[in-house]
């Protein structure tokens, strides 16, 4: 009994010590939010709603990697930009890349300063014909209601493109000249990988010997009611993005009659391969952009959750799982069979992976081949890209972005992080000290489904916030 008592006492002491350590670490966490400094807002005319509405009416759709852009529509959109923003086109030089991508150069007064690059993209995804009648208004009508502008591109991504030009037009009208050169890079094929748009713009700037201090693109937002434990909106600055790769799994057999099936048939082999991949997920890992996110979110959490964030050495597993901090596996296409009494000779499936930093396209393919049967052939499919590097959060440029967000949106918590989706920004790491993803589009659980979905729309108030933010950001860069 004495031994049991001592054991119990020892366990109790260990539990108390562990509890004290966990609590002490949580108490040490301090908010990383910078001061929200006052700023002088610019007055924004309601005309901006009509300008965005008109931009939406140009159906600059990217259908596939191989599809040729509609020259009439894209050239019409370019003419609309020239007409709507005359000062921009008088002041800046414009270079067309791959015929349809646009690179504006706003020369700075101090050529010794590194330039900055502000990005967006012109193209949008198609609209499923069966969903047309589910929209509040036609997806390319650009309808303006009492509170919203409706249409494909209002969220992804013409709103940021037009907001940037609205801001530049106002600044030029005021006589503003940037200290450093500002490039506006507007690709035309982001929705299908950006290989002939943004990638070629980055190549062009590299050939010119341009190296920027800062690049900003879409891919970060103001999340409202989407981070458990935090009541405030969260402004996500994504400093990196996962890679993207799809692989085809192909099974070929002699087929046969369904009345005499072999022990392993074509579709069965394929189905087992899919199950094997789903049952052997890549491990959850703590990488730099996720670590930044936890360090910034943790101090804002209620105390019980703060304990977990402050003690990742013990409790990181569930947090990393909640953040999807691993290379994800998603079967997306399956094809096989021609008749209900015929065992097919060929069956295929496409598996999409979003690749976490530290892994590569090649390591994912190796994982697939080591996991599934050797009766399945593995082939790369379509557009593929490795995960991006992670940009620093310690540079002057990042700090300026952070402080601008806090000034314009003082109610928000600013948090760096990692995006699972892909953006054109991936191509600009080679020509920029830091690459970041943020425009202040407000999203919530309901509006999240509108990206690439039904009833894509942006509120008038939020759209003016985007213009206010881009205007203030360009002015702020003159301070460093």
């Amino acid at each position: 009994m004495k031994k049991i008592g001592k054991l119990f006492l020892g366990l109790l002491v260990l539990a108390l010590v562990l509890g004290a350590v966990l609590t002490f670490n949580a108490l040490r966490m301090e908010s990383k939010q910078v001061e929200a400094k006052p700023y002088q807002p610019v007055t924004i005319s309601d005309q901006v709603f009509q300008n965005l509405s008109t931009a939406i009416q140009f159906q600059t759709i990217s259908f596939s990697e191989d599809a040729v852009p509609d020259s009439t529509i894209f050239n019409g959109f370019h003419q609309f930009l020239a007409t709507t923003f005359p000062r921009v086109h008088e002041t800046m030089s414009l270079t067309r890349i791959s015929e349809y991508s646009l690179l504006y150069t706003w020369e700075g007064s101090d050529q010794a300063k590194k330039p900055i690059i502000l990005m967006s993209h012109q193209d949008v995804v198609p609209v499923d014909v069966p969903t047309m009648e589910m929209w509040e208004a036609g997806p390319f009508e650009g309808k303006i209601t009492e509170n919203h502008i409706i249409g494909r591109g209002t969220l992804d991504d013409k709103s940021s493109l037009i907001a940037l030009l609205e801001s530049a037009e106002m600044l030029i009208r005021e006589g503003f000249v940037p200290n450093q050169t500002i490039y506006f890079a507007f690709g035309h094929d982001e929705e299908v990988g950006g290989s002939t748009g943004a990638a070629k713009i980055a190549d062009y700037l590299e050939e010119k010997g341009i190296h920027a201090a800062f690049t900003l693109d879409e891919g970060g937002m103001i999340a409202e009611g989407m981070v458990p434990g935090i009541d405030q909106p969260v402004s996500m600055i994504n400093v990196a993005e996962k890679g993207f790769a799809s692989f085809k799994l192909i099974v070929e057999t002699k087929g046969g009659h369904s009345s005499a099936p072999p022990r392993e048939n074509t579709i069965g082999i394929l189905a087992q391969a899919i199950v094997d991949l789903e049952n052997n997920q890549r491990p959850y890992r703590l990488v730099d952009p996720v670590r930044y996110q936890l360090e910034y979110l943790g101090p804002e959490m209620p105390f019980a959750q703060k304990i977990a964030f402050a003690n990742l050495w013990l409790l990181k597993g569930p947090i990393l799982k909640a953040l999807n901090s691993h290379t994800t596996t998603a079967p997306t296409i399956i094809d096989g069979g021609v008749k209900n009494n015929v065992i097919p000779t060929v069956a295929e499936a496409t598996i999409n992976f979003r690749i976490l930093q530290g892994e590569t396209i090649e390591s994912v393919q190796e994982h697939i081949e080591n996991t599934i049967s050797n009766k399945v052939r593995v082939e790369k499919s379509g557009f593929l890209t490795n995960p991006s590097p992670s940009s620093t959060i310690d540079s002057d440029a990042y700090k300026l972005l952070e402080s601008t967000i806090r000034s314009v949106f003082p109610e928000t918590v600013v948090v760096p992080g990692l995006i699972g989706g892909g953006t054109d920004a991936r191509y600009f790491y080679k020509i920029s000290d830091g690459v970041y993803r943020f425009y202040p589009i407000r999203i919530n659980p309901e509006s999240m489904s509108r990206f690439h979905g039904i009833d894509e729309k942006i509120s008038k108030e939020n759209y003016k916030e985007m213009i206010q933010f881009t205007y203030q950001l360009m002015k702020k860069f003159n301070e460093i």
Side-chain angles (χ1 to χ4, degrees):
M1 289 295 292
K2 287 184 178 179
K3 287 183 178 180
I4 293 174
K6 287 182 178 179
L7 178 61
F8 176 78
L9 181 60
L11 291 174
L12 179 61
V13 170
L14 284 174
L16 290 172
V17 170
L18 178 60
V21 170
L22 297 179
T23 302
F24 176 72
N25 288 341
L27 290 171
R28 290 176 59 204
M29 291 193 90
E30 296 182 353
S31 177
K32 291 182 174 290
Q33 299 307 299
V34 300
E35 180 186 356
K37 296 180 180 179
Y39 73 100
Q40 183 62 47
V42 64
T43 301
I44 301 170
S45 165
D46 286 351
Q47 176 61 37
V48 300
F49 305 141
Q50 184 57 57
N51 293 343
L52 178 58
S53 169
T54 304
I56 298 307
Q57 294 169 41
F58 290 90
Q59 299 185 34
T60 51
I61 299 171
S62 283
F63 289 98
S64 70
E65 295 172 52
D66 301 322
V68 177
D70 188 315
S71 59
T72 301
I73 290 174
F74 273 91
N75 288 332
F77 181 61
H78 298 166
Q79 184 57 51
F80 156 73
L81 297 180
T83 302
T84 307
F85 305 105
R87 292 179 180 86
V88 166
H89 288 79
E90 291 165 4
T91 304
M92 303 184 193
S93 61
L94 173 59
T95 305
R96 285 178 168 79
I97 307 290
S98 300
E99 193 171 351
Y100 302 109
S101 286
L102 306 176
L103 177 64
Y104 291 88
T105 304
W106 191 359
E107 290 289 348
S109 59
D110 186 350
Q111 294 300 305
K113 287 194 170 185
K114 286 185 177 180
I116 64 174
I117 303 170
L118 303 177
M119 300 178 62
S120 184
H121 62 86
Q122 306 168 56
D123 60 321
V124 298
V125 296
V127 177
D128 290 338
V129 174
T131 70
M132 288 284 194
E133 294 183 0
M134 302 178 190
W135 284 67
E136 181 181 341
F140 295 103
E141 183 182 334
K143 183 175 180 179
I144 302 172
T145 68
E146 182 179 354
N147 297 311
H148 291 88
I149 304 102
I150 303 169
R152 182 64 88 222
T154 50
L155 296 177
D156 186 11
D157 184 38
K158 283 181 178 170
S159 53
S160 60
L161 189 157
I162 304 300
L164 285 166
L165 294 178
E166 294 281 10
S167 299
E169 188 79 3
M170 287 190 292
L171 286 165
I172 294 168
R173 185 172 62 238
E174 295 168 6
F176 175 84
V177 177
N179 287 340
Q180 65 285 102
T181 295
I182 302 177
Y183 292 99
F184 297 87
F186 301 149
H188 72 276
D189 62 343
E190 190 274 347
E191 297 294 359
V192 290
S195 59
T196 61
K200 298 300 183 184
I201 294 175
D203 289 345
Y204 173 83
L205 291 173
E206 184 179 31
E207 290 168 7
K208 292 283 188 180
I210 304 301
H211 194 88
F214 171 88
T215 296
L216 185 71
D217 196 9
E218 63 166 341
M221 305 167 188
I222 299 179
E224 300 178 322
M226 297 187 69
V227 181
I230 296 185
D231 295 330
Q232 298 162 267
V234 175
S235 291
M236 291 294 306
I237 305 174
N238 287 312
V239 301
E241 63 186 58
K242 287 184 175 182
F244 179 102
S246 292
F247 294 86
K248 280 188 177 180
L249 309 184
I250 304 168
V251 179
E252 295 177 314
T253 71
K254 294 181 179 180
H257 199 287
S258 65
S259 64
R263 187 176 64 84
E264 289 185 306
N265 72 38
T266 317
I267 292 177
I269 295 170
L270 180 64
Q272 186 61 56
I274 295 172
V275 170
D276 288 343
L277 286 172
E278 290 197 314
N279 288 341
N280 291 274
Q281 298 280 338
R282 302 300 298 147
Y284 293 90
R285 294 184 295 106
L286 182 62
V287 294
D288 278 349
V290 175
R291 178 169 57 82
Y292 299 154
Q293 185 173 349
L294 300 182
E295 289 175 354
Y296 276 69
L297 278 177
E300 315 304 324
M301 290 284 183
F303 192 74
Q305 289 159 275
K306 188 183 292 188
I307 287 177
F309 279 68
N311 295 278
L312 295 177
W313 58 277
L314 181 65
L315 302 168
K316 69 180 178 182
I319 297 175
L320 296 181
K321 190 172 183 179
L323 293 175
N324 234 356
S325 186
H326 75 139
T327 294
T328 57
T329 305
T332 54
I333 303 172
I334 192 163
D335 182 46
V338 293
K339 199 171 182 293
N340 63 1
N341 65 347
V342 176
I343 294 172
T345 58
V346 180
E348 298 182 357
T350 299
I351 316 295
N352 180 252
F353 295 83
R354 300 304 175 104
I355 307 170
L356 188 68
Q357 277 65 22
E359 298 184 48
T360 63
I361 296 166
E362 288 70 27
S363 70
V364 169
Q365 182 166 354
E366 183 180 358
H367 158 70
I368 297 169
E369 292 170 343
N370 289 339
T371 301
I372 65 176
S373 167
N374 59 12
K375 297 174 184 177
V376 183
R377 189 167 79 251
V378 180
E379 293 182 357
K380 296 172 183 174
S381 179
F383 174 79
L384 303 96
T385 182
N386 280 312
S388 77
S390 179
S391 291
T392 180
I393 60 173
D394 295 322
S395 67
D396 290 342
Y398 176 85
K399 296 299 183 185
L400 185 143
L401 173 61
E402 181 182 40
S403 66
T404 303
I405 296 170
R406 284 284 293 153
S407 292
V408 181
F409 308 100
E411 80 283 7
T412 71
V413 174
V414 179
V415 177
L418 170 69
I419 184 173
T423 71
D424 276 343
R426 68 170 74 90
Y427 298 111
F428 284 74
Y429 283 87
K430 62 182 180 179
I431 60 164
S432 185
D433 293 340
V435 178
Y436 306 99
R437 299 156 186 82
F438 177 84
Y439 287 117
I441 294 175
R442 293 183 181 268
I443 61 167
N444 55 48
E446 178 189 1
S447 64
M448 192 65 187
S449 64
R450 300 187 193 279
F451 282 88
H452 291 194
I454 298 167
D455 262 355
E456 185 177 344
K457 60 184 178 181
I458 189 170
S459 75
K460 291 177 174 178
E461 180 182 2
N462 188 199
Y463 183 54
K464 282 195 173 182
E465 287 179 325
M466 292 184 68
I467 298 170
Q468 188 73 246
F469 167 75
T470 53
Y471 174 95
Q472 299 296 334
L473 184 68
M474 284 185 258
K475 290 194 78 171
K476 285 274 188 183
F477 264 99
N478 266 23
E479 299 175 7
I480 61 172

